[in-house]
Amino acid sequence: MEKPSDRKARGAFFTPPELANFITSWAIRSPDDKVLEPSCGEAAFLLPAADRLKQLGALELGFSAQLHGHDIHHDSIKGAEALLSAKGYQPTLTVGDFFSQLPDQSFDVVIGNPPYIRYQNFAGESRSKALEAALREGVRLNQLASSWAAFTIHAASFLKKEGRLGLVLPAELLTVKYASEIRKYLLRRFKSVRLVLFEDLVFPGVLEDVVLLLAEGYGSADSFEVYQAKNARDLKDRAPEKWQGFRPRDEEKWTPALLSSQAFSLYEECISQGQFEPLSNWGSIYLGAVTGNNKYFTLTQNEAARLKIPKKDLVKISPPGSRHLRGLVFSDKAWENLANNGAACYLFSPSASPSDGAKKYIEMGEATKVNEAYKCKVRSPWWKVPLVNKPDLFFTYMNHEYPRLVKNSIGAQFLNSLYGLKINSSKKSLGKDLLPIAMLNSLSLLGAELVGRAYGGGMLKHEPKEAIKIPAPSQATIKKVEKELKLVQSRVSGLLRGNNISTAVEIVDKIILIDGLGISEDQVNSLRISKELLKNRRQSRGKS
């Protein structure tokens, strides 16, 4: 018997029967339909497909000409053969690499659960064949693509023009950047694209979210439809009752399709009416200084004293990382507390005429080959770290919970573990003081989830080009509630330092969304629920 670890290594997972039954019932509509399951395993889809054809009145004994299965695993094919034979079915089953099969466009229906192998383990000849198969259909996948991506494209190439594709796919179809080519292909190839999403995890013992892809016809769809199911049982013996349409923008993720119609409509409305605007309208976002060796270039107060490096050869910085940025303001007091407690609050940054202490430290760096690190080697002198503009606000771009804006009230320099935000001169006073608290509203936090990306451990990361897309309250919106925001700044900052994030967000929601913009509590609650849904999905994926 095959070990579970071996099944996982080849990307095979048992499909719950409710999902297989639902997809086959949707896809097979005629007793004459010719059906392919390209990763058939032990006939999870072929069995209900045979039953479905029989129910529709198919007359051919055994369905050998109508049912076809393919799998790379010999023992799985043998198992499928035994299960089907026991019910009197004799489909055509073949063993081999599906990507080695040239499409013949002879199938009315292609259904199944493609293998899911992450890009780190999806390598060698099989990967090369997969990328070639996708390229034949005009889809160029990058090196981060997992196995299911090319498999989906290749599977569709076996369909007749008006055929139907029903697959169980990872929910990353909606969210990851490398899947953008798959998303564009589906809308380009099919006349209709529908997705079934689930609130609960539907694969026993597997933390990966899935969606059901139901695509059919030939043509160009400019939108797709979504049905939100509670779980796999929610699909049993009935079709979805309500589909929600979604029209994606070019290159945009399909993550908004995860939202309720109420939350998405409100989100779009606030942006289209100018109540919220991209963060880029407030200023420019940029990466902090790159040292090439933080351990060498950042110093604690005691280290600087021991090495006899004077203040003229040091620059005050926000220490590496972002854990210390918990409130709304990075103040002198906060910096001093960090410095007194041994944080690396100084950057070694000698003047053109370094002190004796600085010269000795430079010699120490050369003795330990710090100067040979790439970033150091390509600059002259190697020990002079190029500084960036001191930002008005710090932006934490790697977060478990949500991104934070923190006022840089002491004008500290910063490193590349943070972004800086330089506020436009026309918005300087309002932005520096109130943008950090104003961004703690549920619509902006939902936007951060929509434009960001999930990384290892469920972290939410924003590249600069993503960070500037986060919707921020407009200048007019903040101006309207300026007095109220200032009155609660101290309280909200204390809540954040105590990690009481939800209460802080509720306070800001009340001021900006409910009282300021007249949005109902029910509507605001829909934003909060959607925000938590996306955060929970991200964090659950991080545990897998």
Side-chain angles (χ1 to χ4, degrees):
M1 181 178 290
E2 187 182 19
K3 296 177 182 177
S5 58
D6 293 335
R7 288 185 62 87
K8 184 175 180 181
R10 61 186 178 87
F13 297 93
F14 288 114
T15 306
E18 296 90 346
L19 302 190
N21 292 336
F22 174 76
I23 288 176
T24 53
S25 293
W26 168 82
I28 301 173
R29 302 174 187 176
S30 163
D32 300 319
D33 280 345
K34 185 178 177 183
V35 181
L36 169 67
E37 184 181 0
S39 55
C40 67
E42 295 179 3
F45 287 81
L46 286 178
L47 279 166
D51 291 341
R52 173 70 170 163
L53 286 171
K54 187 176 181 180
Q55 178 189 28
L56 291 172
L59 299 177
E60 185 178 343
L61 183 65
F63 307 122
S64 59
Q66 284 182 256
L67 285 181
H68 294 253
H70 194 98
D71 202 281
I72 198 169
H73 191 242
H74 182 271
D75 288 347
S76 293
I77 287 288
K78 286 296 183 185
E81 193 172 52
L83 290 168
L84 287 156
S85 295
K87 294 191 69 173
Y89 303 134
Q90 297 174 338
T92 302
L93 303 178
T94 55
V95 179
D97 187 343
F98 179 54
F99 291 115
S100 297
Q101 302 295 308
L102 292 176
D104 59 11
Q105 298 182 343
S106 66
F107 290 91
D108 300 286
V109 171
V110 177
I111 50 179
N113 180 7
Y116 181 57
I117 308 172
R118 293 186 185 276
Y119 74 93
Q120 299 96 324
N121 301 316
F122 185 44
E125 185 180 0
S126 181
R127 180 178 185 82
S128 297
K129 288 180 179 178
L131 296 179
E132 288 174 13
L135 198 56
R136 279 198 299 269
E137 298 302 310
V139 180
R140 186 180 297 277
L141 298 175
N142 68 31
Q143 295 302 311
L144 297 178
S146 298
S147 60
W148 68 267
F151 202 97
T152 300
I153 303 299
H154 192 46
S157 69
F158 283 76
L159 283 171
K160 296 177 180 177
K161 276 193 173 183
E162 297 300 323
R164 296 173 291 282
L165 180 68
L167 299 177
V168 181
L169 298 178
E172 59 188 46
L173 165 69
L174 308 174
T175 59
V176 298
K177 186 176 181 180
Y178 79 73
S180 65
E181 293 303 314
I182 311 298
R183 297 191 287 265
K184 286 190 286 187
Y185 169 79
L186 291 173
L187 294 178
R188 184 172 69 245
R189 163 62 178 84
F190 292 99
K191 185 177 182 180
S192 169
V193 177
R194 284 181 161 183
L195 299 173
V196 179
L197 314 178
F198 298 94
E199 294 179 24
D200 299 340
L201 296 171
V202 296
F203 275 71
V206 179
L207 291 173
E208 186 68 39
D209 280 336
V210 300
V211 301
L212 306 187
L213 169 67
L214 311 174
E216 64 179 306
Y218 186 77
S220 185
D222 60 359
S223 62
F224 62 93
E225 293 180 290
V226 171
Y227 173 71
Q228 295 263 6
K230 172 66 176 171
N231 49 41
R233 294 185 303 278
D234 200 22
L235 298 176
K236 190 176 181 181
D237 299 326
R238 71 180 181 89
E241 297 167 352
K242 184 178 181 182
W243 294 91
Q244 177 184 330
F246 179 74
R247 189 185 302 272
R249 299 188 182 95
D250 289 343
E251 303 297 328
E252 190 179 69
K253 300 174 185 178
W254 288 3
T255 318
L258 295 167
L259 311 185
S260 69
S261 56
Q262 183 182 35
F264 184 67
S265 296
L266 177 60
Y267 181 85
E268 292 280 278
E269 183 181 322
C270 287
I271 294 172
S272 65
Q273 293 184 355
Q275 296 162 331
F276 280 72
E277 59 189 7
L279 193 55
S280 58
N281 285 17
W282 280 92
S284 57
I285 285 181
Y286 51 96
L287 190 64
V290 179
T291 69
N293 188 325
N294 281 358
K295 189 174 180 181
Y296 174 83
F297 284 101
T298 63
L299 299 168
T300 67
Q301 207 162 231
N302 289 339
E303 286 172 336
R306 177 173 55 79
L307 294 165
K308 297 181 180 179
I309 300 175
K311 295 288 177 67
K312 79 178 187 72
D313 290 328
L314 300 171
V315 170
K316 276 186 176 183
I317 59 168
S318 171
S322 61
R323 289 181 178 273
H324 57 285
L325 298 173
R326 290 296 177 192
L328 296 172
V329 179
F330 185 56
S331 63
D332 281 308
K333 183 179 179 182
W335 184 89
E336 288 168 6
N337 285 339
L338 288 166
N340 292 335
N341 284 285
C345 289
Y346 286 109
L347 177 71
F348 181 59
S349 183
S351 60
S353 301
S355 63
D356 289 341
K359 288 177 181 177
K360 288 181 180 178
Y361 194 55
I362 292 170
E363 291 171 1
M364 186 188 306
E366 292 171 348
T368 55
K369 302 189 184 305
V370 173
N371 60 312
E372 294 183 11
Y374 175 73
K375 289 293 183 181
C376 300
K377 189 162 53 177
V378 297
R379 65 188 181 222
S380 181
W382 70 266
W383 40 263
K384 191 66 174 176
V385 175
L387 300 179
V388 298
N389 288 332
K390 294 176 182 177
D392 296 311
L393 306 175
F394 295 124
F395 180 101
T396 62
Y397 63 84
M398 283 286 283
N399 304 276
H400 190 66
E401 289 286 333
Y402 66 96
R404 300 184 299 278
L405 281 176
V406 180
K407 182 180 178 181
N408 180 20
S409 70
I410 64 171
Q413 269 291 346
F414 69 117
L415 305 182
N416 61 340
S417 51
L418 293 169
Y419 294 151
L421 174 58
K422 197 73 174 176
I423 303 291
N424 296 335
S425 57
S426 62
K427 300 181 178 181
K428 185 76 76 175
S429 59
L430 197 68
K432 284 177 67 174
D433 290 333
L434 293 181
L435 196 56
I437 187 172
M439 287 293 288
L440 290 169
N441 70 85
S442 290
L443 192 143
S444 293
L445 298 182
L446 173 58
E449 293 283 354
L450 290 173
V451 304
R453 60 186 71 184
Y455 271 68
M459 296 292 285
L460 178 65
K461 182 180 180 182
H462 293 89
E463 299 293 340
K465 62 184 178 182
E466 294 165 341
I468 61 174
K469 294 179 182 178
I470 298 175
S474 67
Q475 186 174 20
T477 296
I478 294 181
K479 193 71 178 173
K480 187 184 297 186
V481 293
E482 179 179 2
K483 180 180 177 181
E484 290 79 4
L485 288 175
K486 286 181 176 178
L487 286 174
V488 299
Q489 272 182 311
S490 178
R491 183 185 173 198
V492 167
S493 192
L495 289 168
L496 295 177
R497 287 193 296 272
N499 206 36
N500 192 346
I501 300 165
S502 59
T503 302
V505 172
E506 286 175 11
I507 291 171
V508 178
D509 280 350
K510 179 75 164 60
I511 293 173
I512 292 180
L513 301 179
I514 297 174
D515 295 341
L517 298 179
I519 299 170
S520 71
E521 291 189 19
D522 182 58
Q523 288 177 303
V524 172
N525 194 47
S526 73
L527 295 175
R528 290 176 187 156
I529 291 171
S530 295
K531 167 177 65 72
E532 289 300 309
L533 170 68
L534 295 185
K535 185 185 78 171
N536 291 339
R537 282 177 179 268
R538 161 172 58 87
Q539 292 178 350
S540 69
R541 287 197 300 273
K543 296 173 185 176
S544 59

